[in-house]
Amino acid sequence: MARILLAEDEPLLRELAIEDLTDAGHEVVAARNGDSALEVLHGDRGFDILFTDIRMPGQLDGWALATEARRLVPALKVIYSSGLDESSEELGPDDRIIQKPYRLDALLALLGEFQVG
């Protein structure tokens, strides 16, 4: 199972994602926005996956967070989430995007595409 850093500004969505991912056997550390998530990474770089909302308040949106996170953890895989129709042109081979509202089985399928551990 993966160690996941979750960046989500909506408290209800954040709590649901923590519960669902933990129930699926993953270890999850959550942050309320991109700035907080980057602070977590400065203190702990042992994550396999960044699961981030794209549009969040603060200095870093999900795109910028992923860029900075990969400077600290180059092998980090990223799943972006958004309720808007976001362009996926910036996605690399270790990136995925999921539209909100997403179903747990769709999220778990994306996680299953990554080789972690």
Side-chain angles (χ1 to χ4, degrees):
M1 292 290 127
R3 188 154 188 260
I4 301 170
L5 176 57
L6 168 67
E8 173 58 65
D9 63 306
E10 292 292 329
L12 181 58
L13 290 177
R14 187 172 56 243
E15 291 304 316
L16 287 172
I18 292 168
E19 183 178 324
D20 287 343
L21 292 169
T22 301
D23 287 349
H26 301 285
E27 180 183 345
V28 181
V29 174
R32 69 184 183 280
N33 60 30
D35 302 334
S36 297
L38 189 59
E39 286 178 27
V40 170
L41 279 171
H42 279 290
D44 180 356
R45 297 181 186 179
F47 292 95
D48 303 302
I49 297 170
L50 170 63
F51 179 31
T52 183
D53 189 6
I54 293 175
R55 305 285 174 208
M56 294 181 287
Q59 296 294 314
L60 300 173
D61 65 7
W63 300 118
L65 170 59
T67 298
E68 292 300 315
R70 284 217 171 103
R71 287 189 181 131
L72 297 172
V73 185
L76 193 68
K77 293 157 179 28
V78 180
I79 297 176
Y80 299 95
S81 68
S82 180
L84 303 173
D85 186 22
E86 300 285 346
S87 169
S88 59
E89 293 175 24
E90 297 180 45
L91 296 182
D94 287 333
D95 298 338
R96 304 291 185 273
I97 193 164
I98 190 167
Q99 291 296 125
K100 292 179 183 176
Y102 52 82
R103 295 187 353 244
L104 176 59
D105 60 338
L107 177 57
L108 294 178
L110 285 180
L111 288 169
E113 293 179 17
F114 294 134
Q115 297 287 335
V116 295

